[in-house]
Amino acid sequence: MVRVVELRKAAAIGTKCTVSGWVKSMRSQKTHAFLELNDGSSQSSLQVILSPLQSAQMLPSGTCVEVTGSVVKSKGGNQETEMSCDDIRVIGPCSDAAYPLQKKAHTLEFLREVPHLRSRSNTIGGMLRIRNAAMMGLHGFYQNEGFVLVSTPILTSSDCEGAGEAFEVSKSAEFFGGKTAFLTVSGQLQAEAFALSHSKVYTFGPTFRAENSQTSRHLAEFWMCEPEMCFVGLPELIENAEQAIKCAARRVFESCSEDVEFFEKRYGLQKVDLQAPWKRISYDDAIVALQKSGTSFEKEVKFGMDLGSEHEKWLAEVYADQQPIFLFGFPRELKPFYVKERDSFDLLVPKIGELIGGSVREERFDILRMELEARKMPLQHYGWYLDLRKYGSAPHGGYGIGFERLVRMVTGLENIRDAVPIPRVPNCLPM
Ligand code: 4AD
Ligand code: MG
């Protein structure tokens, strides 16, 4: 199958071929007509030149066509090549004047109303290619580093984060002999089991949170990449996280340069610095810095408090000068039960906030058990997890990358709903 992206390159000049795709737009001039053909392989369309006979009938945007012709040097300045048409055949007509993606700029809000069609737009089309590159970039990084990919279950019996935000699965109690199943909020606890046999593993899959947040940072269904490794401490974990994100971003910037340029122009994407090391600051030092920040909130900042989005914003945008920053060493009370005292970290990114949360895990049986009890968590659900501390426990840790937030970072898109193929948010389940 010949793709538009190949035919747009100068090397294709002289090629005679057949290419299929969807009509982006068609405009007619005196002597011939121009048809913009896109097949999802590139941000820009292939310009097809139609003779008066071939363009007697205007093909509406959205029509699926097959074009046979020759690639020639373009006479216009906007592209290197165009296609002269020997034959054009309609594969799937798009006759309805109500087709939502007529040739004009659409708002992202409007596009969210047509999730089944919006991938044909420049923005969502480009986002999907970038998302693909970012995902492959992460897989490539962990594979290169010797991590084993394990697919942890979607149906789980325990709430990893202990935040009470798990979706309950109907019919599960009947099915599982009285035990209720929940959609996973994180694959971490299961990934820990595999780390304690394979030393370096990662899981990358959909996770679910029934938090009623109508924000530009939250989805009810989002993808998370969660590496888990043994025999490392916090500095190694943070370094690993930095290299993983830089590797994914580099892959996007290198392999999707046309899309990246589009996002720079249309959405003001600012590329993060992939050369210099990103700053690290301890929670204690961050509190002091925030208290001296000269901001309207500086007087409210106290030791022991959870940082709010305005604090994270200041740290990444002012303190770290518009670059990502690692914040580490949170008090235990601010983090889930499995986190080792003062051995946790978050990665904060300008305009996005928290992109990663991670920690060294408590590997001591007695302390972990006390922590579960202190938080009144149902011990019977965590027996298997405590076992991991009984049978050859090892120092280990990991982190979770919120994948759609990473997509926002490398596109400049403001709303997380536009960084996922089909968003799942409160009161909205269109397909
Ligand atoms: O900080 P969180 O809740 O950490 C965990 O789930 C750990 N178990 C991860 C681990 O250590 N393996 O979530 C991790 C990341 C956040 O930093 C954020 O980027 C993203 O997941 N995230 C969300 N993304 C979109 N919508 C939501 N509702 C999200 N909640 C968390
Ligand atoms: Mg977190």
Side-chain angles (χ1 to χ4, degrees):
M1 184 167 63
V2 185
R3 310 291 312 270
V4 163
V5 66
E6 293 306 324
L7 302 184
R8 282 184 50 83
K9 293 180 184 159
I13 292 173
T15 312
K16 209 169 157 32
C17 60
T18 299
V19 58
S20 304
W22 292 265
V23 175
K24 196 98 181 161
S25 64
M26 186 168 164
R27 68 197 155 85
S28 204
Q29 290 196 343
K30 269 194 204 120
T31 52
H32 42 251
F34 296 97
L35 184 150
E36 298 294 327
L37 183 74
N38 202 293
D39 64 354
S41 64
S42 99
Q43 177 64 235
S44 307
S45 302
L46 176 68
Q47 179 161 279
V48 181
I49 318 290
L50 303 175
S51 68
L53 204 64
Q54 290 162 334
S55 58
Q57 170 208 359
M58 287 297 276
L59 295 173
S61 300
T63 305
C64 184
V65 295
E66 180 190 82
V67 180
T68 301
S70 304
V71 180
V72 296
K73 192 170 172 2
S74 176
K75 292 180 198 81
N78 294 334
Q79 61 270 316
E80 294 203 75
T81 70
E82 58 195 28
M83 195 173 196
S84 69
C85 175
D86 296 334
D87 187 34
I88 180 163
R89 187 167 76 84
V90 171
I91 297 176
C94 182
S95 54
D96 194 348
Y99 178 59
L101 301 181
Q102 301 294 345
K103 193 197 162 203
K104 62 173 184 167
H106 298 286
T107 63
L108 293 171
E109 289 77 10
F110 169 77
L111 290 174
R112 278 176 225 140
E113 291 171 20
V114 284
H116 57 308
L117 296 171
R118 71 174 187 162
S119 56
R120 302 177 186 194
S121 66
N122 294 55
T123 301
I124 304 299
M127 179 280 290
L128 288 179
R129 284 182 295 272
I130 286 181
R131 194 182 153 98
N132 168 66
M135 197 175 269
M136 291 305 112
L138 286 178
H139 276 299
F141 175 80
Y142 295 109
Q143 292 294 323
N144 258 335
E145 295 280 315
F147 283 71
V148 174
L149 174 63
V150 286
S151 306
T152 49
I154 307 283
L155 295 178
T156 57
S157 59
S158 47
D159 173 1
C160 170
E161 295 303 288
E165 288 165 347
F167 281 102
E168 196 176 311
V169 178
S170 78
K171 293 195 184 158
S172 60
E174 290 162 42
F175 189 88
F176 292 114
K179 258 195 157 180
T180 303
F182 301 91
L183 297 183
T184 185
V185 297
S186 157
Q188 176 200 320
L189 302 191
Q190 289 82 3
E192 283 183 60
F194 301 110
L196 285 155
S197 61
H198 283 63
S199 310
K200 290 167 115 179
V201 300
Y202 71 112
T203 178
F204 199 158
T207 51
F208 307 85
R209 306 228 173 149
E211 51 186 330
N212 196 7
S213 302
Q214 293 273 13
T215 75
S216 59
R217 321 198 298 159
H218 292 93
L219 292 167
E221 177 179 317
F222 63 99
W223 280 64
M224 192 162 26
C225 179
E226 299 183 273
E228 195 68 32
M229 55 207 105
C230 288
F231 319 119
V232 294
L234 196 64
E236 291 91 347
L237 276 179
I238 291 180
E239 183 60 25
N240 184 271
E242 177 168 349
Q243 296 314 324
I245 298 296
K246 285 183 168 173
C247 177
R250 198 170 293 121
R251 170 92 174 228
V252 167
F253 298 155
E254 284 170 6
S255 69
C256 301
S257 51
E258 199 196 6
D259 287 317
V260 168
E261 210 174 291
F262 167 83
F263 281 100
E264 284 175 323
K265 281 201 191 115
R266 176 84 69 91
Y267 296 100
L269 163 66
Q270 306 260 332
K271 287 186 195 161
V272 290
D273 188 345
L274 301 182
Q275 302 303 326
W278 293 339
K279 274 192 176 150
R280 285 122 165 91
I281 185 175
S282 70
Y283 171 87
D284 290 358
D285 288 348
I287 292 289
V288 173
L290 286 162
Q291 285 172 334
K292 294 185 191 156
S293 58
T295 53
S296 58
F297 57 68
E298 68 170 23
K299 292 214 163 40
E300 299 145 29
V301 177
K302 305 257 172 335
F303 276 93
M305 72 183 263
D306 209 356
L307 298 186
S309 52
E310 73 277 28
H311 308 124
E312 294 178 344
K313 188 173 155 68
W314 184 84
L315 285 168
E317 291 172 20
V318 182
Y319 186 85
D321 201 14
Q322 301 293 340
Q323 291 302 321
I325 179 171
F326 287 98
L327 182 57
F328 64 90
F330 293 90
R332 186 167 211 149
E333 310 73 67
L334 299 182
K335 291 288 169 186
F337 70 96
Y338 53 73
V339 169
K340 204 164 178 180
E341 175 75 30
R342 296 264 168 181
D343 252 353
S344 52
F345 75 94
D346 280 355
L347 174 63
L348 309 178
V349 174
K351 300 201 176 80
I352 289 162
E354 182 191 324
L355 169 63
I356 298 184
S359 74
V360 174
R361 318 307 186 191
E362 179 55 69
E363 87 272 21
R364 294 162 299 181
F365 180 92
D366 294 337
I367 297 179
L368 183 61
R369 195 192 155 104
M370 265 168 32
E371 202 55 45
L372 280 162
E373 281 169 349
R375 296 182 192 225
K376 302 203 168 31
M377 297 180 68
L379 275 187
Q380 70 276 19
H381 289 173
Y382 297 92
W384 67 269
Y385 188 68
L386 283 163
D387 268 2
L388 299 173
R389 276 70 180 166
K390 262 199 301 202
Y391 305 134
S393 189
H396 67 285
Y399 55 87
I401 303 170
F403 185 62
E404 284 73 20
R405 294 188 187 177
L406 175 61
V407 173
R408 279 188 58 201
M409 185 185 100
V410 290
T411 55
L413 284 167
E414 276 182 17
N415 197 315
I416 198 163
R417 296 169 194 210
D418 304 320
V420 63
I422 299 171
R424 296 294 184 226
V425 292
N427 304 316
C428 180
L429 193 66
M431 63 187 283

